[in-house]
Amino acid sequence: MTLIAVGINYNTAPVSIRERLSFPAEIMESSLQELWHIKEINEAAILSTCNRTEFYCTATTANKQILIDWVSQSKQISAADFTPYLYCHTDSDLIRHMFRVACGLDSMILGEPQILGQMKTAYQAAYEAGTLGKRLGKLFQHTFTAAKKVRTDTAIGSSPVSVAFAAVQLAQQIFDKLSEQTALLIGAGETIELTARHLSQQGIGRIIIANRTYDKAHALAMQFNGYAIALSELPAHLAEADIVISSTASQLPILGKGRVESALKKRKHKPMFMVDLAVPRDIEAEVEQLRDVYLYTIDDLQNTIDQNMNSRRLAAEQAEEIIDTQVDYFLAWLRAQGAQSTIQDYRHQAEQSRDEALQKAMALLKSGVPAEQALNRLAHSLTNKLIHTPSAQIRAAAENERHDLIAAAREIFKLTNSQ
């Protein structure tokens, strides 16, 4: 049995290819069932995110072409269109790859935590589809254990490495309870969306999204139970904001010193925390001169991010060492599975010998033989049955000068020198 995976990710394939090979949730179960029903495939799981699609299987062969042909047929795409972007892993390489993916070591943002949740979703989907078996199921569980150990024992995810996350974390340091604050986000692009998501996850009290195009602001606000306004309405709502984070493509400042000063008066000089993530700036530099404003620019955050990336790189080195150990643990478990049938057969044989000896002992007791005599015969008979075959095999090994078998027997039975 071989562990095998093929996949593409942000490093190997452009988004035009990645989107064609994506497997959304609504087709995941049927896709897993189709893959699992291939003759050579015994177990199957699919990880599909915006940055990667990977197919994990146990199979009777290490031939990746089986998976390539299925993907081609399933997605109605020529194999020649995506095979140049594929990578393939088998056995120990696959185990290491899954561990690294779950820990965020193979992510676009080093150490990002979202991928672990996505791996768990992939596991759950395969479990519900009935396409997991003992080996792949155990590999996923060990993957989660390895990721948890890396998160616990290293600083891989402790420091923010995106400006959106850094801005939200800074807000948490300034305000005791985000649940009591209102955040005004200016813009509706990727950075603002990520900021809104982080704020929502941290329990922000209220989100207002302002954008030049109201429909975009409204679509984004709906995702986070927020309130949308047009950019022209900004002066009327600025005073409501405890937190202002701006990221637009405007060539001119959107917030000037005078407008912010007016908002502060309405707020009775209750402090405002402002982060300008735009280049060129959305917030005039002179706003920083106001007493009740804490203004940070993207440069202020970038210094922190650079330091944190260095910290994560050091943590990643520690994580690789942990993964090496975890791979060894899982390989040892896999090797032990190869002996499982032998152990079961040996146990079955011993139980048969026990049952036969016990039946004879019970018959002796029923015929009136004293219990002590019956027990002695049981012990003698059972001992003879258990050691007869191994003794005969060891004797034959000696006659054939198979000293390796004799040494193995001494190790298996943990024999000590009786002389």
Side-chain angles (χ1 to χ4, degrees), residues 6 28 73 93 97 107 115 121 142 144 146 159 182 223 228 287 301 304 307 391:
V6 297
M28 184 61 78
Q73 181 182 357
D93 287 340
H97 175 73
S107 295
I115 187 62
T121 299
H142 205 116
F144 304 149
S159 305
T182 293
Q223 295 182 43
V287 169
L301 297 182
T304 301
Q307 292 173 8
S391 297

Side-chain angles (χ1 to χ4, degrees), residues 317-331:
E317 293 177 11
Q318 296 174 296
E320 296 285 6
E321 293 176 6
I322 293 171
I323 286 172
D324 285 344
T325 303
Q326 294 298 317
V327 169
D328 288 343
Y329 287 161
F330 189 76
L331 285 173

Side-chain angles (χ1 to χ4, degrees), residues 182-389:
T182 293
L184 170 61
L185 308 182
I186 306 173
E190 184 179 341
T191 299
I192 289 299
E193 181 179 352
L194 192 55
T195 303
R197 180 166 286 108
H198 288 314
L199 283 168
S200 180
Q201 289 171 349
Q202 298 306 319
I204 189 70
R206 183 171 172 237
I207 292 178
I208 301 172
I209 296 179
N211 192 54
R212 199 174 304 278
T213 306
Y214 173 80
D215 288 345
K216 286 186 178 180
H218 180 70
L220 184 56
M222 288 287 287
Q223 295 182 43
F224 305 103
N225 296 318
Y227 177 70
I229 61 173
L231 212 54
S232 58
E233 300 177 78
L234 201 55
H237 293 273
L238 186 57
E240 301 172 36
D242 304 295
I243 299 166
V244 178
I245 300 175
S246 186
S247 178
T248 76
S250 175
Q251 295 302 301
L252 296 172
I254 291 171
L255 287 178
K257 183 180 178 183
R259 185 168 288 176
V260 176
E261 202 164 19
S262 297
L264 285 170
K265 287 179 182 177
K266 290 181 184 178
R267 290 171 59 83
K268 299 181 179 179
H269 293 277
K270 184 182 176 183
M272 297 176 75
F273 167 66
M274 308 182 81
V275 182
D276 189 350
L277 300 178
V279 179
R281 294 185 184 188
D282 282 341
I283 304 172
E284 284 184 351
E286 289 76 15
V287 169
E288 192 176 13
Q289 298 169 7
L290 298 172
R291 284 183 56 191
D292 301 306
V293 171
Y294 300 91
L295 175 62
Y296 294 83
T297 68
I298 193 168
D299 286 346
D300 297 324
L301 297 182
Q302 195 61 51
N303 292 333
T304 301
I305 290 166
D306 290 343
Q307 292 173 8
N308 291 345
M309 275 304 298
N310 288 332
S311 172
R312 285 199 178 193
R313 289 188 189 100
L314 290 173
E317 293 177 11
Q318 296 174 296
E320 296 285 6
E321 293 176 6
I322 293 171
I323 286 172
D324 285 344
T325 303
Q326 294 298 317
V327 169
D328 288 343
Y329 287 161
F330 189 76
L331 285 173
W333 179 85
L334 270 183
R335 288 192 293 269
Q337 302 316 296
Q340 199 63 36
S341 61
T342 301
I343 293 169
Q344 289 172 349
D345 291 344
Y346 181 58
R347 177 177 290 278
H348 179 66
Q349 187 182 73
E351 287 172 347
Q352 277 187 317
S353 298
R354 175 202 64 196
D355 292 343
E356 289 171 7
L358 185 58
Q359 284 177 3
K360 289 180 180 178
M362 295 294 287
L364 288 174
L365 287 171
K366 286 179 182 178
S367 67
V369 173
E372 185 176 347
Q373 186 178 344
L375 285 173
N376 280 331
R377 286 192 186 181
L378 169 64
H380 182 73
S381 172
L382 187 55
T383 300
N384 280 343
K385 281 181 175 291
L386 291 176
I387 69 171
H388 172 73
T389 301

Side-chain angles (χ1 to χ4, degrees), residues 40-55:
E40 294 85 355
I41 303 295
N42 298 98
E43 303 174 75
I46 302 173
L47 172 66
S48 185
T49 75
C50 58
N51 282 331
R52 71 177 68 240
T53 297
E54 296 183 343
F55 308 91

Side-chain angles (χ1 to χ4, degrees), residues 106-147:
D106 196 50
S107 295
M108 186 180 291
I109 298 175
L110 182 64
E112 59 95 3
Q114 288 83 6
I115 187 62
L116 178 56
Q118 292 163 337
M119 288 280 280
K120 289 181 177 179
T121 299
Y123 166 80
Q124 190 64 30
Y127 177 80
E128 291 175 359
T131 60
L132 284 182
K134 186 174 184 179
R135 281 174 168 77
L136 198 54
K138 182 72 171 181
L139 177 53
F140 267 103
Q141 292 299 330
H142 205 116
T143 297
F144 304 149
T145 300

Side-chain angles (χ1 to χ4, degrees), residues 27-44:
I27 66 166
M28 184 61 78
E29 183 175 358
S30 59
S31 299
L32 283 165
Q33 290 283 346
E34 287 175 15
L35 180 56
W36 182 61
H37 277 105
I38 295 173
K39 181 182 177 182
E40 294 85 355
I41 303 295
N42 298 98
E43 303 174 75

